[in-house]
């Protein structure tokens, strides 16, 4: 996977047409009826600063689920930093940054468990039996892995990249997570997790649930270069950016030559992404926002977006500054989360060893 600025967004698409969307809509209804039955696993890699795409895509929804009463586990996936780079650079800085953003946005350590890979050995030990349950071909044809390879910073692809989907399965299943908030592009990862859980249960006896996807209804926000917004591709607006930095980044965003501002994502993706960003911050319809800007051109559009983003994030930035002044407390949140995650992981690994008949 509440005190976030906005928690009213739904995580289910308004139009359900695909089987995955229908299952997600049904899951949302079950969560609302009996939230205490469910455990959420979600998280991020500490490879840079979290940005507006993360905020509207996943972070607000984590706080919403926490507020509903679900048991939320938030993973800082430090081991997975190495999937597409040679070294884990600035790891402590980025980990602290994730913690600060989580706390500022409303993740409550009393209701959610924040932990990191490297501190939970039993989680990572699940990777070995899980890899025995999938073929090399199944790992290699995962579309998300292919995309990560295409954008990798390494001259050659490491074995860790190919085991990434199985490692994600361990992330989810170590705590017996049964709800995983994802976008459409992450569905292949989750399907492989379901496959691993099913195959383990069939071979050794029932230990794991088959987790379900809770699809995000958040529309895609593009990066300032018009591509996918990514914290590692230098095209994002970080949540921790100052008001001036935010203004500079938005000023440099890609638009087009048409002075009249409209909301038309297919024909005008750059302009429309900026309009959408303003609308999300203002809690308004993007068509109305575009109509108000009208013939003001890209300068008026970017001014509107900048003012909306800075106003929306002002209370988050204030809380973040308060937490940043006490890093001892912030790091204690992770330490305590690691303790809980370790206890959960050890219990699960014990069940796995018993099911497989291995030494304990």
């Amino acid at each position: 996977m509440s005190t976030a600025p906005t928690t009213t967004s739904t995580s289910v698409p308004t139009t359900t047409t695909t089987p995955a969307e229908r299952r997600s809509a049904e899951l949302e209804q079950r969560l609302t009826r009996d939230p205490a039955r469910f455990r959420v696993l979600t998280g991020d890699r500490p490879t840079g600063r979290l940005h507006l795409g993360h905020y509207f895509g996943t972070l607000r929804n984590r706080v919403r689920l926490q507020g509903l009463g679900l048991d939320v586990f938030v993973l800082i996936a430090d081991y997975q930093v190495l999937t597409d780079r040679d070294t884990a650079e600035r790891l402590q800085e980025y980990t602290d940054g994730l913690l600060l953003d989580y706390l500022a946005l409303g993740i409550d350590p009393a209701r959610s468990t924040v932990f990191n890979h490297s501190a939970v050995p039993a989680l990572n030990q699940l990777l070995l039996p899980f890899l025995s349950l999938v073929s090399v071909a199944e790992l290699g044809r995962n579309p998300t892995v292919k995309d990560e390879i295409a954008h990798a910073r390494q001259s050659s692809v490491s074995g860790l990249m190919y085991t990434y989907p199985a490692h994600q399965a361990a992330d989810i299943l170590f705590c017996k997570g049964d709800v995983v908030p994802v976008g459409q592009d992450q569905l292949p990862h989750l399907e492989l997790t379901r496959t691993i859980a099913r195959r383990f249960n069939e071979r050794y006896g029932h230990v794991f649930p088959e987790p379900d996807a809770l699809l995000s209804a958040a529309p895609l926000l593009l990066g300032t270069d018009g591509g996918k917004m990514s914290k590692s591709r230098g095209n994002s607006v970080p949540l921790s950016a100052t008001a001036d930095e935010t203004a500079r980044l938005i000023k440099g965003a890609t638009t087009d030559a048409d002075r009249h501002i409209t909301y038309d994502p297919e024909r005008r993706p750059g302009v429309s992404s900026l309009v959408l960003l303003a609308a999300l911050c203002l809690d308004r319809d993007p068509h109305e926002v575009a109509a108000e800007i009208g013939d003001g051109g890209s300068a008026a559009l970017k001014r509107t977006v900048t003012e909306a983003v800075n106003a929306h994030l002002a209370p988050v930035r204030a809380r973040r500054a308060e937490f940043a002044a006490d890093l001892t407390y912030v790091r204690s949140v992770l330490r305590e989360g690691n303790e809980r995650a370790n206890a959960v992981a050890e219990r699960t690994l014990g069940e796995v060893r018993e099911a497989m008949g291995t030494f304990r």
Side-chain angles (χ1 to χ4, degrees):
M1 322 157 93
S2 144
T3 57
T6 306
T7 58
T8 56
S9 63
T10 177
S11 63
V12 181
T14 55
T15 302
T16 56
T17 56
T18 70
E21 288 171 342
R22 288 194 292 272
R23 287 197 300 270
S24 179
E26 293 167 359
L27 175 60
E28 178 71 32
Q29 293 175 356
R30 297 202 304 274
L31 298 182
T32 304
R33 289 196 300 266
D34 192 6
R37 287 185 51 196
F38 297 92
R39 176 171 284 173
V40 176
L41 188 286
T42 183
D44 305 282
R45 293 197 305 164
T47 55
R49 298 192 290 175
L50 294 178
H51 53 65
L52 289 168
H54 293 120
Y55 173 58
F56 288 110
T58 63
L59 297 173
R60 290 198 309 175
N61 197 39
R62 293 176 192 176
V63 178
R64 183 184 73 92
L65 294 172
Q66 172 189 268
L68 286 175
L70 280 75
D71 189 12
V72 179
F73 276 64
V74 183
L75 166 66
I76 297 178
D78 52 355
Y79 273 166
Q80 288 177 359
V81 170
L82 297 173
T83 55
D84 61 351
R85 54 202 70 204
D86 296 322
T87 59
E89 298 176 349
R90 302 168 67 181
L91 191 58
Q92 184 65 63
E93 173 190 344
Y94 289 148
T95 297
D96 286 344
L98 292 182
L99 288 165
L100 288 170
D101 287 334
Y102 294 159
L103 294 171
L105 290 168
I107 292 295
D108 181 357
R111 294 184 289 170
S112 296
T113 302
V114 183
F115 68 102
N116 59 342
H117 264 153
S118 58
V120 189
L123 181 164
N124 297 290
Q125 194 168 338
L126 292 175
L127 182 59
L128 295 177
F130 284 3
L131 283 173
S132 74
L133 298 169
V134 291
S135 69
V136 174
E138 285 174 313
L139 294 172
R141 65 171 171 255
N142 184 292
T144 309
V145 170
K146 291 180 178 179
D147 180 68
E148 291 294 338
I149 289 174
H151 293 92
R153 296 184 175 186
Q154 296 171 304
S155 58
S156 60
V157 179
S158 72
L160 187 60
M161 176 67 80
Y162 286 101
T163 63
Y164 182 39
H167 204 179
Q168 279 204 330
D171 298 339
I172 297 166
L173 296 177
F174 96 94
C175 64
K176 300 188 179 180
D178 47 13
V179 177
V180 185
V182 293
Q184 290 278 354
D185 61 333
Q186 288 289 313
L187 284 176
H189 271 323
L190 187 60
E191 192 53 44
L192 189 64
T193 297
R194 291 171 55 85
T195 297
I196 287 172
R198 183 167 58 253
R199 288 175 181 172
F200 185 96
N201 293 341
E202 290 171 350
R203 185 174 299 182
Y204 299 112
H206 192 276
V207 172
F208 298 109
E210 292 184 31
D212 287 313
L214 189 64
L215 291 175
S216 171
L220 177 66
L221 288 174
L222 299 180
T224 54
D225 60 355
K228 178 182 177 181
M229 189 178 291
S230 169
K231 60 180 180 289
S232 60
R233 297 178 190 175
N235 65 353
S236 65
V237 180
L239 296 175
S240 58
T242 65
D244 287 344
E245 184 183 0
T246 298
R248 177 180 59 78
L249 291 169
I250 292 173
K251 184 177 181 179
T254 298
T255 53
D256 58 36
D258 188 346
R259 183 171 178 81
H260 185 72
I261 301 302
T262 59
Y263 181 65
D264 188 348
E266 288 190 12
R267 293 185 177 86
R268 308 182 70 187
V271 167
S272 297
S273 183
L274 288 172
V275 170
L276 177 60
L277 176 54
L280 288 169
C281 290
L282 296 169
D283 195 21
R284 296 183 59 193
D285 182 273
H287 296 281
E288 294 178 0
V289 173
E292 283 189 6
I293 299 170
D295 293 326
S298 63
L301 169 61
K302 292 177 180 180
R303 185 167 57 251
T304 298
V305 175
T306 299
E307 292 172 356
V309 170
N310 282 334
H312 188 78
L313 290 183
V316 176
R317 289 168 174 162
R319 287 193 296 270
R320 195 182 196 278
E322 291 177 5
F323 285 117
D326 189 3
L327 283 180
T328 300
Y329 166 74
V330 171
R331 291 170 181 169
S332 75
V333 169
L334 183 60
R335 185 168 58 251
E336 292 170 7
N338 286 337
E339 290 175 1
R340 184 185 180 209
N342 266 296
V344 171
E346 287 291 348
R347 286 196 298 271
T348 301
L349 183 59
E351 293 179 44
V352 167
R353 286 169 170 166
E354 183 172 351
M356 297 179 68
T358 56
F359 293 107
R360 301 189 64 180

